[in-house]
């Protein structure tokens, strides 16, 4: 089943301060449907690492951590831990599935620079 078979998820609440484009939201909803679990959320985090100092992490998670900020979409939630919120507020996640680009990308106005591969930022 592909994500394009779903109605576009609508963001209903955004305390985490991070947005998803329609393409990214449809992909997340489709991947969650494939998992077949209703306890998973998309966790977006910033961790030390990479050649520029900080690295993004996106993964499905069933945990609830103290201080998590949760953005609600129709059909799923996006969660950001309290330490990552300042780095991600105002960021937008997109998804591309083209010959020249594939996967999730993050447009982050808080990043002052990134490495050549785009895997980390500072």
């Amino acid at each position: 089943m592909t994500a394009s078979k779903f109605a576009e998820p609508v963001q209903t609440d955004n305390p985490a301060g991070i947005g998803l484009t329609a393409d990214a939201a449809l992909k997340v909803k489709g991947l969650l449907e494939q998992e077949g679990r209703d306890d998973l959320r998309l966790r977006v985090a910033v961790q030390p690492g990479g050649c520029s100092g900080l690295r993004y992490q996106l993964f499905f998670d069933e945990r609830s951590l103290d201080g998590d900020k949760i953005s609600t979409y129709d059909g799923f939630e996006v969660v950001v831990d309290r330490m990552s919120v300042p780095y991600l507020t105002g960021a937008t996640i997109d998804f591309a599935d083209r010959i020249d680009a594939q996967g999730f990308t993050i447009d982050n106005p808080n990043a002052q620079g990134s490495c050549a591969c785009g895997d980390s930022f500072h």
Side-chain angles (χ1 to χ4, degrees), residues 41-116:
R41 299 182 276 184
L42 177 65
R43 182 172 290 277
V44 183
V46 173
Q47 300 287 324
C51 50
S52 289
L54 297 171
R55 162 180 263 148
Y56 298 114
Q57 290 190 329
L58 281 81
F59 56 96
F60 293 126
D61 195 4
E62 72 277 355
R63 297 174 300 154
S64 291
L65 303 175
D66 186 39
D68 276 350
K69 300 297 182 190
I70 300 168
S71 295
T72 306
Y73 283 79
D74 176 29
F76 66 92
E77 295 175 328
V78 176
V79 62
V80 178
D81 66 86
R82 68 176 172 201
M83 299 299 287
S84 297
V85 168
Y87 297 104
L88 294 170
T89 299
T92 302
I93 299 174
D94 194 11
F95 181 79
D97 190 9
R98 305 182 310 262
I99 196 164
D100 63 330
Q102 187 170 17
F104 289 99
T105 59
I106 299 178
D107 179 20
N108 188 349
N110 303 307
Q112 296 176 348
S114 63
C115 63

